[in-house]
Amino acid sequence: MAEERREPTWLYFLIGLVVVLILAIATNKLAHWSAGLPLPGKMGKVLEYPLWAAVLGLIVNVIVTLTKTRPFIQPGVRTELYLKIGLILMGVRVNFQTILAAGGGGIIQALIMVTSVFLFCWWLAGRFKIPDTLRAVMATAISICGVSAAIAAAGSVLAKKDEIAYITALIIATALPLMVIMPPIAYALGLSPEVAGAWFGGNIDTTAAVVGAGTIHSARAQEIAAIVKMSQNALIGVVAFILALYFVTVVEKTGERPSARVIWDRFPKFVLGFVVMSILATIGLFTSDHIHMLKTLYKWGFAFAFVCIGLELSVAEIKKMGWPPIIVYTIVTIFNTLLALIVASIIFGIIFKPAA
Amino acid sequence: MNLSEDWMSVVVAAILVILVYIGIIGPNLISIKW
C-alpha cells in the first residue's frame, strides 16, 4: 500500500492508530449490543463486528474528507498491516492438518479461479478498449487478492499511480457489500461452512473482506476462507512475473528479461508466519491461556483492519475514470461469484472435505 | 504489495507472541472480549 502513501510521520501514525483503536472499541460495544437484539435466525449474524467496524470507518471517512483532516490520520490507516498481523496470530487456532487439507484444495481452486477470472477480465477489458496497464492491474486485482495484487501487478507493468488508486477504490466499493451479503446468501443456499468459506475466499477481492465475510458466517468458514485466500495470495509473485515478462516482450518489446526473483519478492511473507504459528500450536507449544490471549489479539487485528477498509474507500477516485472500467469490474465480479460458487462446491463439497 | 509492510507484520506478530508467551500481555491488560 505504501507506493501511493507518503512516508508516515510517527505523530500522524499514532493519531491514526488512536482513531482506529477508538473505532474498534466502539465496534466491540456495538457488536455486543446487537448480539442481544431479537433478530431472526442466521440473518441476524450480519450484524457481526466486521459490519459495525466498516460502517464506523465509513462514517469517520466522510468526516475526515469533509473536514480535510485525512492527512492527520492516514499513516495510521493500515488495513493490510493490521490484517496480516491478525492472520499470523490466527494461525494459533488452526490445526496444521487443516492447513494441509484446505491449502491443497485452496491451491487447486486458486489455479482454476485465477486463470479463468484473469483471462476473462483481460479479454472483456480489451473489448471495452481499456488501456493495457489498467487492464493488467484490474485483472490481477480481481483474480487474486485485491489491493496487494493490484500493487504487485502495477509494479510489473509500470501502471500509473492514479490507476492503482482507482482500482483500490473499486475493490473496496465492491468488497464491502459482498462481505455483508454473501454470508446470508451462503446460509440461504444451505452451503456447508467449508464451501461457504471457500466461496468467500475465491470470490471477494480483498483479504480483509474475505475474513470479514467468514467472521460473519461462522468460525469454521472464517478459517477456510482465510486459508483459501492465502493460497490465492501466494500466487501473486507468479502472476507478477508472467505479467512483467508479457509486458517487456509483447507490449513494450524492450528485450529485457524480468528476474524470476520477483516470485519470492512478491510472495506474501505473512503466510509463512501463519503456517509457523499453526505448527507451533499443533505441537503444543502454547498453553490454553496463551491461545486464548492470542485469539483475543487476532480479533483486535481484524477489527482494526475492518475499520480501515471503511476509512479507505474513496468515492472521488471511482468517479475519475468513467463507466467502462466500472462495467467491466461489475461483469467480472458476477462471473467470479458464480464460478467461485461452482468450483468451491466441487472442491470443498465433494473432493476435499477438511476435517474440523 | 509493500514488502517492508509485509515483513513488518511478521515482526509485530512475533513480538506480540513473545509478549504473550512470557506473560507481559495477559488477560489483565486486555479485558475486552470479542
Side-chain angles (χ1 to χ4, degrees):
Chain A
M1 292 290 299
E3 278 84 343
E4 76 264 26
R5 277 204 186 97
R6 283 178 299 169
E7 276 302 305
T9 64
W10 278 106
L11 180 62
Y12 290 177
F13 175 78
L14 283 177
I15 294 171
L17 188 63
V18 169
V19 170
V20 173
L21 174 66
I22 292 168
L23 292 176
I25 293 171
T27 295
N28 182 280
K29 302 293 173 203
L30 281 168
H32 282 293
W33 167 75
S34 63
L37 294 177
L39 293 164
K42 304 276 190 189
M43 296 301 171
K45 280 185 64 64
V46 169
L47 294 180
E48 285 275 0
Y49 76 96
L51 177 65
W52 288 119
V55 168
L56 290 178
L58 282 170
I59 293 170
V60 175
N61 184 345
V62 173
I63 295 170
V64 296
T65 305
L66 292 176
T67 56
K68 296 188 168 50
T69 48
R70 178 180 294 280
F72 298 108
I73 64 159
Q74 190 60 34
V77 180
R78 298 286 196 100
T79 310
E80 300 238 335
L81 178 64
Y82 305 137
L83 180 80
K84 287 170 184 175
I85 294 169
L87 282 169
I88 293 170
L89 298 179
M90 187 186 151
V92 80
R93 197 191 86 187
V94 183
N95 189 294
F96 189 58
Q97 292 281 356
T98 303
I99 295 186
L100 292 178
I107 287 173
I108 295 170
Q109 176 173 311
L111 287 171
I112 298 169
M113 293 301 303
V114 170
T115 314
S116 319
V117 176
F118 185 96
L119 293 176
F120 179 64
C121 184
W122 180 264
W123 170 80
L124 191 66
R127 304 277 296 184
F128 277 76
K129 301 196 178 353
I130 289 171
D132 278 353
T133 47
L134 186 60
R135 271 168 94 188
V137 176
M138 186 188 280
T140 314
I142 205 164
S143 64
I144 303 184
C145 64
V147 180
S148 336
I151 291 167
S156 298
V157 303
L158 303 177
K160 296 178 196 124
K161 272 190 176 180
D162 56 353
E163 289 176 332
I164 305 173
Y166 172 72
I167 293 294
T168 302
L170 210 49
I171 290 164
I172 297 171
T174 318
L176 275 179
L178 286 176
M179 176 180 92
V180 179
I181 62 168
M182 284 183 72
I185 293 175
Y187 276 123
L189 293 174
L191 302 182
S192 68
E194 288 79 12
V195 174
W199 186 36
F200 307 152
N203 180 39
I204 302 176
D205 294 331
T206 188
T207 311
V210 167
V211 176
T215 310
I216 290 171
H217 188 280
S218 60
R220 181 66 173 160
Q222 184 197 47
E223 213 168 76
I224 301 294
I227 296 170
V228 166
K229 194 64 180 171
M230 280 190 267
S231 309
Q232 211 158 307
N233 288 353
L235 292 177
I236 295 177
V238 178
V239 174
F241 175 69
I242 294 170
L243 270 177
L245 199 61
Y246 178 79
F247 267 73
V248 296
T249 52
V250 179
V251 180
E252 292 159 6
K253 296 186 177 131
T254 57
E256 290 172 27
R257 289 267 160 179
S259 164
R261 192 187 147 82
V262 73
I263 295 173
W264 167 247
D265 286 345
R266 296 289 183 186
F267 184 85
K269 315 300 182 296
F270 76 95
V271 175
L272 299 178
F274 172 80
V275 173
V276 168
M277 281 300 285
S278 168
I279 293 171
L280 294 178
T282 305
I283 61 173
L285 189 75
F286 301 113
T287 65
S288 58
D289 283 348
H290 291 146
I291 292 173
H292 175 74
M293 206 57 236
L294 291 167
K295 282 182 178 176
T296 303
L297 283 175
Y298 86 67
K299 287 174 186 171
W300 276 104
F302 288 167
F304 275 36
F306 301 146
V307 164
C308 289
I309 314 180
L311 281 168
E312 282 190 317
L313 177 65
S314 169
V315 180
E317 286 295 339
I318 296 176
K319 288 180 184 165
K320 279 183 188 169
M321 301 244 176
W323 283 104
I326 297 176
I327 294 168
V328 172
Y329 203 92
T330 308
I331 295 172
V332 179
T333 298
I334 294 168
F335 172 78
N336 196 0
T337 306
L338 297 175
L339 185 67
L341 180 59
I342 296 166
V343 175
S345 299
I346 294 170
I347 294 179
F348 285 86
I350 300 170
I351 303 173
F352 289 89
K353 280 193 176 178
Chain B
M1 180 190 299
N2 178 351
L3 294 177
S4 64
E5 189 169 76
D6 201 30
W7 278 116
M8 201 191 301
S9 68
V10 176
V11 172
V12 175
I15 292 169
L16 289 172
V17 171
I18 292 166
L19 293 177
V20 168
Y21 200 79
I22 60 179
I24 291 176
I25 295 181
N28 297 336
L29 191 69
I30 303 172
S31 58
I32 296 177
K33 289 186 170 58
W34 284 95

